Amino acid sequence: MTFVLTEDQQMLRDTAMSFARDTLPVTHLRELRDSGANGVDPMAREKLAELGFFGVLIPEEHGGSDFGLVGMGQILEAQGRTLAATPLLQTGVIGASALTLGGSQAQKAEWLAKIAAGEVLTALALDEGAHHNPAGVATEAERDGQGYTLTGAKRYVPDGHQADLFIIAARTHGEPGDSHGISLFLVPKDAVGLSVQALNTVDSHGAAHLSLDGVHVDDAQLLGDADKGLDLVEPVLDRAAIAQACEALGSAQAAFDMTLEYLNTRKQFGQLIGSFQALQHRAAKLFTELEMTRSCVAAALSAVDEKANTISELASLAKARASETVHLVSNECVQMHGGIGMTDAHDSGLYMKRARVQEALYGGASFHRDRYARLNGY
Amino acid sequence: MADGDMQTLEAFRQEARDWLEENCPPSMRTPMKDDEIVWGGRRETFTNPESKLWLERMGEKGWTAPMWPAEYGGGGLTPEENKILQQELRRIKARPPLFSFGLWMFGPALLEFGNEEQKKRFIPDIVKGKTRWCQGYSEPGAGSDLAGLQTRCEDKGDHYLINGQKVWTSYANEADWIFCLVRTDRTKKHEGISFILFDMESEGVEARPIKLISGASPFCETFFTDVKVPKDQLVGEEGQGWTIAKRLLQFERSSISAGGFGGTGGSGILGPEEYAKMHVGTDNEGRVADGDLRGRITDHKMYAKAFSLTVQRSTEQAKAGQEVGHTASILKYGAAKMNQDRHELLIEALGTEGLGWDGEGFEDSAKKATRGWLRSKGNSIEGGTSEINLNVIAKRVLGLKEHQ
Ligand SMILES: Cc1cc2nc3c(=O)[nH]c(=O)nc-3n(C[C@H](O)[C@H](O)[C@H](O)COP(=O)(O)OP(=O)(O)OC[C@H]3O[C@@H](n4cnc5c(N)ncnc54)[C@H](O)[C@@H]3O)c2cc1C
């Protein structure tokens, strides 16, 4: 495990930080929100493609740079700092990983280069209830001669409102709750019978509900082996959880920096409020949580690149801790700002709203705590 | 790293492996027993004769202090060589040959601030475990506000004369020598402090053990009445004591965070998840049956994992020459919380099995867990309280201002 970035990784981090700061600052998210864009941002997408960010996890033969998850983590952390609404996590991490890990030669050839170029955005349509539950898939995939017919519904698909290509989990065997019998399908957004309901979400990043009303797919659209979709989706979800943890860490750090700045400027009782010990100790504890979470996130990122056998455990550790940390820090951020923290004009509320989404996606703290315990036998 | 260096390192690994194979006695490769811990010094009795052999051999080689300079008896190893040595020691599950305040805190400070003669005089005996040291910092009126200490040290021309009282002096009744903070100037708070060394058998020194809530008496009130100390035993300059004291506290805090808290472990104690399975029971999946307890145990285990990853990160960044003050500052606070949470969970999971004090009817390991639980309460007090640690983080790391 390595905690020190290589020179190349550090350069990528620096580039990503200045890109987020200069091109996608929090004011940009406000503009998107106020113009009703619902997180859809063609400018950001184009710039991300120019910088090669979509291809960081994609093999060179398919137009990517195969730079690894540590590198991708730096970009996502930078985006988390400014709450940037971009399709990078869903497309560059989830779509790229799912196809790289499970795609046939033909599927890789068809999609990966387009993903790397930012021409195709992907979304994973897995969960059907209000809480993350990979084995809970009920959407049916019925054999129909040359392929399958998909019927069912998906809720709160991140980037579902702007994806060109969906990775849809459906049941080819068994009952909801069974880990065997789930299969994954690549479904273009214009497939007959697929309808996408865009959602206005609390964080202004947007998402979508999907309904599948007899959507036909060919055998060629099956991603990985039939019935074994969960085996493929697990490592993809580990990467998604780690990536989401990176983004949450970035948001938590930014909310903390903003709070610290306020503690060092706001005066009451003729004192800087940061000189009150009640606030000093809370700030010191937030800092402690942040530092420990940073260690977990870094360990999880490097475990993936080193193909360690601890990826799942560290993914759950990183996601659980990052969820809790961003929750705590964003709440303290509002509290320590007092009245101004409650106003829409101030950024602290935006951090608290995004934090709730970061917590919920790919499993919250309690989901990952339970998973961590299971992986360790208690 | 160049190929040549790699070859030398691999040669060193082989050499270390062969030497350990030959010199580490069999019982020193079994888990440590509480009553076989070696603290060294004049009063060490070595309940296991092989511990004596192991300490002598490691001390001779300088490998009790692998990275200290060879000219003072240390191992003289580079960080890379030391890493290999530690790997080889772990590989054969070797016990630490010596527990020592000299190794953990005093030695590193003396190497920085002592003069040549002092280093030659004191360091080799720390390495060999011949002198056991204690720490004379706290006083009845000066704990968190350590710089308020009052123990007087007067210049009597050819010697110093010391009068005053220390308290909570760990193992003062078993130590040979003390490193002590004294006041050489009453007109200045911090600049009036000096750092001095003397033999605990000097006339006028008295150490009275204090009993702790855990039943043990690891620390003392220590009285000094007209103790004469030769002038060459003052470290650094008169008035420089505070600087040395703070540096030593850094060594103390980082040894606590790297090694956990000494004396709170106890051989044979299982993890909270194991006691919970044993005494609370398991569900049909073999998991801890009480979901709430399982959740809290998991929370603690994840905290512990995050903590150890943070120690690793800080070590690696330091090696790469990066600034780690920020990371290191949180470790003493985190270590205390982690160890206390662990003991609370152990006692909770043990249920009434964890409520024994002594005598028959309770497992030895459970009784140790009970004592350890009480002892762990000191973790957030010793070496600087958690509140003081949070003050330090807030002010030095986060740059928050003092209340006016
Ligand atoms: C097991 C153990 C071993 C020890 N070994 C040694 C040893 O070998 N040598 C040695 O010299 N000392 C030793 N100590 C002493 C230890 O360093 C002191 O107990 C510690 O520094 C606290 O000082 P105090 O006991 O005077 O408490 P006080 O300083 O009186 O503190 C009382 C309470 O007030 C809080 N407090 C004080 N100041 C502030 C502030 N500014 N802001 C917020 N809260 C504050 C403290 O956190 C604490 O909760 C040991 C202590 C223990 C428990």
mmCIF file of all heavy atoms in Angstrom, chain B residues 89-116:
data_model
loop_
_atom_site.group_PDB
_atom_site.id
_atom_site.type_symbol
_atom_site.label_atom_id
_atom_site.label_comp_id
_atom_site.label_asym_id
_atom_site.label_seq_id
_atom_site.Cartn_x
_atom_site.Cartn_y
_atom_site.Cartn_z
ATOM 1 N N LEU B 89 12.195 -9.610 12.613
ATOM 2 C CA LEU B 89 11.776 -9.844 13.998
ATOM 3 C C LEU B 89 10.322 -10.293 14.040
ATOM 4 O O LEU B 89 9.952 -11.207 14.763
ATOM 5 C CB LEU B 89 11.956 -8.568 14.829
ATOM 6 C CG LEU B 89 13.416 -8.237 15.213
ATOM 7 C CD1 LEU B 89 13.538 -6.792 15.670
ATOM 8 C CD2 LEU B 89 13.907 -9.180 16.305
ATOM 9 N N ARG B 90 9.496 -9.635 13.207
ATOM 10 C CA ARG B 90 8.074 -10.014 13.159
ATOM 11 C C ARG B 90 7.915 -11.424 12.599
ATOM 12 O O ARG B 90 7.057 -12.174 13.027
ATOM 13 C CB ARG B 90 7.289 -9.021 12.290
ATOM 14 C CG ARG B 90 6.752 -7.831 13.071
ATOM 15 C CD ARG B 90 5.634 -7.132 12.295
ATOM 16 N NE ARG B 90 6.094 -6.651 10.995
ATOM 17 C CZ ARG B 90 6.697 -5.484 10.815
ATOM 18 N NH1 ARG B 90 6.916 -4.677 11.826
ATOM 19 N NH2 ARG B 90 7.084 -5.106 9.614
ATOM 20 N N ARG B 91 8.755 -11.736 11.628
ATOM 21 C CA ARG B 91 8.648 -13.026 10.960
ATOM 22 C C ARG B 91 8.801 -14.181 11.945
ATOM 23 O O ARG B 91 8.095 -15.177 11.869
ATOM 24 C CB ARG B 91 9.726 -13.125 9.864
ATOM 25 C CG ARG B 91 9.456 -14.152 8.776
ATOM 26 C CD ARG B 91 10.561 -14.132 7.729
ATOM 27 N NE ARG B 91 11.852 -14.454 8.311
ATOM 28 C CZ ARG B 91 12.300 -15.687 8.502
ATOM 29 N NH1 ARG B 91 11.597 -16.714 8.128
ATOM 30 N NH2 ARG B 91 13.492 -15.887 9.067
ATOM 31 N N ILE B 92 9.721 -14.038 12.886
ATOM 32 C CA ILE B 92 9.889 -15.117 13.866
ATOM 33 C C ILE B 92 9.085 -14.821 15.138
ATOM 34 O O ILE B 92 9.249 -15.488 16.152
ATOM 35 C CB ILE B 92 11.378 -15.349 14.211
ATOM 36 C CG1 ILE B 92 12.004 -14.082 14.825
ATOM 37 C CG2 ILE B 92 12.166 -15.771 12.983
ATOM 38 C CD1 ILE B 92 13.367 -14.355 15.458
ATOM 39 N N LYS B 93 8.246 -13.795 15.099
ATOM 40 C CA LYS B 93 7.395 -13.415 16.241
ATOM 41 C C LYS B 93 8.214 -13.148 17.496
ATOM 42 O O LYS B 93 7.826 -13.533 18.614
ATOM 43 C CB LYS B 93 6.346 -14.489 16.518
ATOM 44 C CG LYS B 93 5.443 -14.794 15.322
ATOM 45 C CD LYS B 93 4.189 -15.522 15.790
ATOM 46 C CE LYS B 93 3.132 -15.637 14.714
ATOM 47 N NZ LYS B 93 3.487 -16.591 13.643
ATOM 48 N N ALA B 94 9.367 -12.502 17.306
ATOM 49 C CA ALA B 94 10.245 -12.239 18.446
ATOM 50 C C ALA B 94 9.619 -11.217 19.385
ATOM 51 O O ALA B 94 8.994 -10.259 18.944
ATOM 52 C CB ALA B 94 11.590 -11.736 17.947
ATOM 53 N N ARG B 95 9.790 -11.429 20.692
ATOM 54 C CA ARG B 95 9.330 -10.451 21.674
ATOM 55 C C ARG B 95 10.254 -9.252 21.679
ATOM 56 O O ARG B 95 11.453 -9.397 21.425
ATOM 57 C CB ARG B 95 9.392 -11.051 23.074
ATOM 58 C CG ARG B 95 8.469 -12.192 23.316
ATOM 59 C CD ARG B 95 8.627 -12.598 24.775
ATOM 60 N NE ARG B 95 7.870 -13.793 25.069
ATOM 61 C CZ ARG B 95 7.869 -14.394 26.258
ATOM 62 N NH1 ARG B 95 8.627 -13.899 27.248
ATOM 63 N NH2 ARG B 95 7.147 -15.464 26.473
ATOM 64 N N PRO B 96 9.730 -8.071 22.035
ATOM 65 C CA PRO B 96 10.660 -6.962 22.254
ATOM 66 C C PRO B 96 11.557 -7.318 23.440
ATOM 67 O O PRO B 96 11.056 -7.745 24.471
ATOM 68 C CB PRO B 96 9.751 -5.778 22.606
ATOM 69 C CG PRO B 96 8.344 -6.248 22.483
ATOM 70 C CD PRO B 96 8.330 -7.726 22.290
ATOM 71 N N PRO B 97 12.873 -7.165 23.307
ATOM 72 C CA PRO B 97 13.759 -7.552 24.397
ATOM 73 C C PRO B 97 13.666 -6.602 25.599
ATOM 74 O O PRO B 97 14.004 -6.972 26.706
ATOM 75 C CB PRO B 97 15.151 -7.488 23.780
ATOM 76 C CG PRO B 97 15.024 -6.634 22.578
ATOM 77 C CD PRO B 97 13.610 -6.725 22.103
ATOM 78 N N LEU B 98 13.179 -5.358 25.340
ATOM 79 C CA LEU B 98 13.244 -4.346 26.393
ATOM 80 C C LEU B 98 12.098 -3.340 26.255
ATOM 81 O O LEU B 98 11.838 -2.851 25.161
ATOM 82 C CB LEU B 98 14.595 -3.612 26.281
ATOM 83 C CG LEU B 98 14.911 -2.530 27.302
ATOM 84 C CD1 LEU B 98 14.980 -3.111 28.707
ATOM 85 C CD2 LEU B 98 16.235 -1.840 26.962
ATOM 86 N N PHE B 99 11.425 -3.070 27.369
ATOM 87 C CA PHE B 99 10.492 -1.943 27.442
ATOM 88 C C PHE B 99 11.225 -0.847 28.196
ATOM 89 O O PHE B 99 11.807 -1.131 29.238
ATOM 90 C CB PHE B 99 9.225 -2.330 28.220
ATOM 91 C CG PHE B 99 8.248 -3.179 27.441
ATOM 92 C CD1 PHE B 99 8.656 -4.328 26.780
ATOM 93 C CD2 PHE B 99 6.898 -2.825 27.375
ATOM 94 C CE1 PHE B 99 7.757 -5.109 26.072
ATOM 95 C CE2 PHE B 99 5.996 -3.604 26.670
ATOM 96 C CZ PHE B 99 6.431 -4.749 26.016
ATOM 97 N N SER B 100 11.188 0.364 27.693
ATOM 98 C CA SER B 100 12.066 1.334 28.338
ATOM 99 C C SER B 100 11.722 2.780 27.991
ATOM 100 O O SER B 100 11.635 3.144 26.830
ATOM 101 C CB SER B 100 13.499 1.020 27.902
ATOM 102 O OG SER B 100 14.327 2.142 27.941
ATOM 103 N N PHE B 101 11.532 3.593 29.061
ATOM 104 C CA PHE B 101 11.364 5.037 28.841
ATOM 105 C C PHE B 101 12.633 5.629 28.254
ATOM 106 O O PHE B 101 12.593 6.637 27.563
ATOM 107 C CB PHE B 101 11.054 5.752 30.162
ATOM 108 C CG PHE B 101 9.703 5.429 30.735
ATOM 109 C CD1 PHE B 101 9.309 5.967 31.956
ATOM 110 C CD2 PHE B 101 8.807 4.604 30.070
ATOM 111 C CE1 PHE B 101 8.068 5.696 32.498
ATOM 112 C CE2 PHE B 101 7.560 4.323 30.605
ATOM 113 C CZ PHE B 101 7.191 4.876 31.827
ATOM 114 N N GLY B 102 13.760 4.987 28.545
ATOM 115 C CA GLY B 102 15.029 5.440 27.995
ATOM 116 C C GLY B 102 15.033 5.324 26.480
ATOM 117 O O GLY B 102 15.417 6.240 25.763
ATOM 118 N N LEU B 103 14.538 4.174 25.983
ATOM 119 C CA LEU B 103 14.493 3.961 24.532
ATOM 120 C C LEU B 103 13.446 4.848 23.876
ATOM 121 O O LEU B 103 13.662 5.401 22.811
ATOM 122 C CB LEU B 103 14.148 2.497 24.212
ATOM 123 C CG LEU B 103 15.203 1.425 24.446
ATOM 124 C CD1 LEU B 103 14.633 0.063 24.078
ATOM 125 C CD2 LEU B 103 16.459 1.713 23.625
ATOM 126 N N TRP B 104 12.273 4.950 24.520
ATOM 127 C CA TRP B 104 11.139 5.595 23.858
ATOM 128 C C TRP B 104 11.183 7.115 23.905
ATOM 129 O O TRP B 104 10.770 7.785 22.989
ATOM 130 C CB TRP B 104 9.813 5.120 24.490
ATOM 131 C CG TRP B 104 9.580 3.663 24.377
ATOM 132 C CD1 TRP B 104 10.036 2.829 23.403
ATOM 133 C CD2 TRP B 104 8.830 2.848 25.287
ATOM 134 N NE1 TRP B 104 9.618 1.538 23.652
ATOM 135 C CE2 TRP B 104 8.870 1.515 24.799
ATOM 136 C CE3 TRP B 104 8.109 3.096 26.462
ATOM 137 C CZ2 TRP B 104 8.236 0.454 25.443
ATOM 138 C CZ3 TRP B 104 7.480 2.045 27.103
ATOM 139 C CH2 TRP B 104 7.545 0.728 26.598
ATOM 140 N N MET B 105 11.656 7.663 25.058
ATOM 141 C CA MET B 105 11.580 9.125 25.144
ATOM 142 C C MET B 105 12.885 9.808 25.535
ATOM 143 O O MET B 105 13.293 10.763 24.917
ATOM 144 C CB MET B 105 10.470 9.591 26.087
ATOM 145 C CG MET B 105 9.892 8.561 26.998
ATOM 146 S SD MET B 105 8.679 9.340 28.096
ATOM 147 C CE MET B 105 7.760 7.929 28.625
ATOM 148 N N PHE B 106 13.561 9.308 26.581
ATOM 149 C CA PHE B 106 14.707 10.058 27.056
ATOM 150 C C PHE B 106 15.888 9.975 26.075
ATOM 151 O O PHE B 106 16.493 11.006 25.742
ATOM 152 C CB PHE B 106 15.109 9.574 28.455
ATOM 153 C CG PHE B 106 16.410 10.154 28.928
ATOM 154 C CD1 PHE B 106 16.585 11.535 28.983
ATOM 155 C CD2 PHE B 106 17.473 9.341 29.298
ATOM 156 C CE1 PHE B 106 17.786 12.081 29.409
ATOM 157 C CE2 PHE B 106 18.674 9.877 29.714
ATOM 158 C CZ PHE B 106 18.838 11.245 29.772
ATOM 159 N N GLY B 107 16.206 8.764 25.607
ATOM 160 C CA GLY B 107 17.353 8.591 24.713
ATOM 161 C C GLY B 107 17.301 9.502 23.485
ATOM 162 O O GLY B 107 18.255 10.234 23.214
ATOM 163 N N PRO B 108 16.156 9.477 22.745
ATOM 164 C CA PRO B 108 16.092 10.340 21.559
ATOM 165 C C PRO B 108 16.311 11.815 21.896
ATOM 166 O O PRO B 108 16.953 12.543 21.138
ATOM 167 C CB PRO B 108 14.657 10.116 21.047
ATOM 168 C CG PRO B 108 14.244 8.793 21.599
ATOM 169 C CD PRO B 108 14.973 8.612 22.893
ATOM 170 N N ALA B 109 15.813 12.252 23.057
ATOM 171 C CA ALA B 109 16.003 13.663 23.435
ATOM 172 C C ALA B 109 17.467 13.927 23.799
ATOM 173 O O ALA B 109 18.035 14.956 23.422
ATOM 174 C CB ALA B 109 15.086 14.024 24.606
ATOM 175 N N LEU B 110 18.084 12.982 24.520
ATOM 176 C CA LEU B 110 19.491 13.185 24.910
ATOM 177 C C LEU B 110 20.397 13.203 23.679
ATOM 178 O O LEU B 110 21.351 13.967 23.611
ATOM 179 C CB LEU B 110 19.944 12.092 25.887
ATOM 180 C CG LEU B 110 21.311 12.363 26.544
ATOM 181 C CD1 LEU B 110 21.221 13.540 27.516
ATOM 182 C CD2 LEU B 110 21.860 11.133 27.246
ATOM 183 N N LEU B 111 20.073 12.359 22.699
ATOM 184 C CA LEU B 111 20.877 12.356 21.474
ATOM 185 C C LEU B 111 20.833 13.722 20.789
ATOM 186 O O LEU B 111 21.790 14.148 20.175
ATOM 187 C CB LEU B 111 20.392 11.262 20.511
ATOM 188 C CG LEU B 111 20.822 9.828 20.869
ATOM 189 C CD1 LEU B 111 20.075 8.804 20.027
ATOM 190 C CD2 LEU B 111 22.338 9.649 20.709
ATOM 191 N N GLU B 112 19.706 14.430 20.937
ATOM 192 C CA GLU B 112 19.608 15.761 20.316
ATOM 193 C C GLU B 112 20.234 16.859 21.161
ATOM 194 O O GLU B 112 20.840 17.781 20.640
ATOM 195 C CB GLU B 112 18.130 16.126 20.066
ATOM 196 C CG GLU B 112 17.620 15.604 18.751
ATOM 197 C CD GLU B 112 16.191 16.045 18.468
ATOM 198 O OE1 GLU B 112 15.819 17.179 18.849
ATOM 199 O OE2 GLU B 112 15.450 15.245 17.872
ATOM 200 N N PHE B 113 20.057 16.785 22.485
ATOM 201 C CA PHE B 113 20.422 17.939 23.312
ATOM 202 C C PHE B 113 21.613 17.693 24.231
ATOM 203 O O PHE B 113 22.159 18.638 24.792
ATOM 204 C CB PHE B 113 19.221 18.383 24.162
ATOM 205 C CG PHE B 113 18.079 18.913 23.347
ATOM 206 C CD1 PHE B 113 16.994 18.116 23.015
ATOM 207 C CD2 PHE B 113 18.101 20.240 22.912
ATOM 208 C CE1 PHE B 113 15.941 18.617 22.259
ATOM 209 C CE2 PHE B 113 17.049 20.747 22.164
ATOM 210 C CZ PHE B 113 15.969 19.931 21.829
ATOM 211 N N GLY B 114 21.992 16.433 24.425
ATOM 212 C CA GLY B 114 23.077 16.148 25.361
ATOM 213 C C GLY B 114 24.435 16.500 24.775
ATOM 214 O O GLY B 114 24.598 16.585 23.552
ATOM 215 N N ASN B 115 25.434 16.720 25.659
ATOM 216 C CA ASN B 115 26.785 16.921 25.137
ATOM 217 C C ASN B 115 27.450 15.549 24.947
ATOM 218 O O ASN B 115 26.915 14.527 25.366
ATOM 219 C CB ASN B 115 27.608 17.847 26.041
ATOM 220 C CG ASN B 115 27.745 17.300 27.456
ATOM 221 O OD1 ASN B 115 27.834 16.077 27.648
ATOM 222 N ND2 ASN B 115 27.756 18.185 28.440
ATOM 223 N N GLU B 116 28.612 15.568 24.318
ATOM 224 C CA GLU B 116 29.302 14.343 23.951
ATOM 225 C C GLU B 116 29.487 13.411 25.161
ATOM 226 O O GLU B 116 29.211 12.213 25.114
ATOM 227 C CB GLU B 116 30.659 14.734 23.338
ATOM 228 C CG GLU B 116 31.406 13.637 22.653
ATOM 229 C CD GLU B 116 30.581 12.933 21.561
ATOM 230 O OE1 GLU B 116 29.681 13.567 20.982
ATOM 231 O OE2 GLU B 116 30.841 11.738 21.339
#
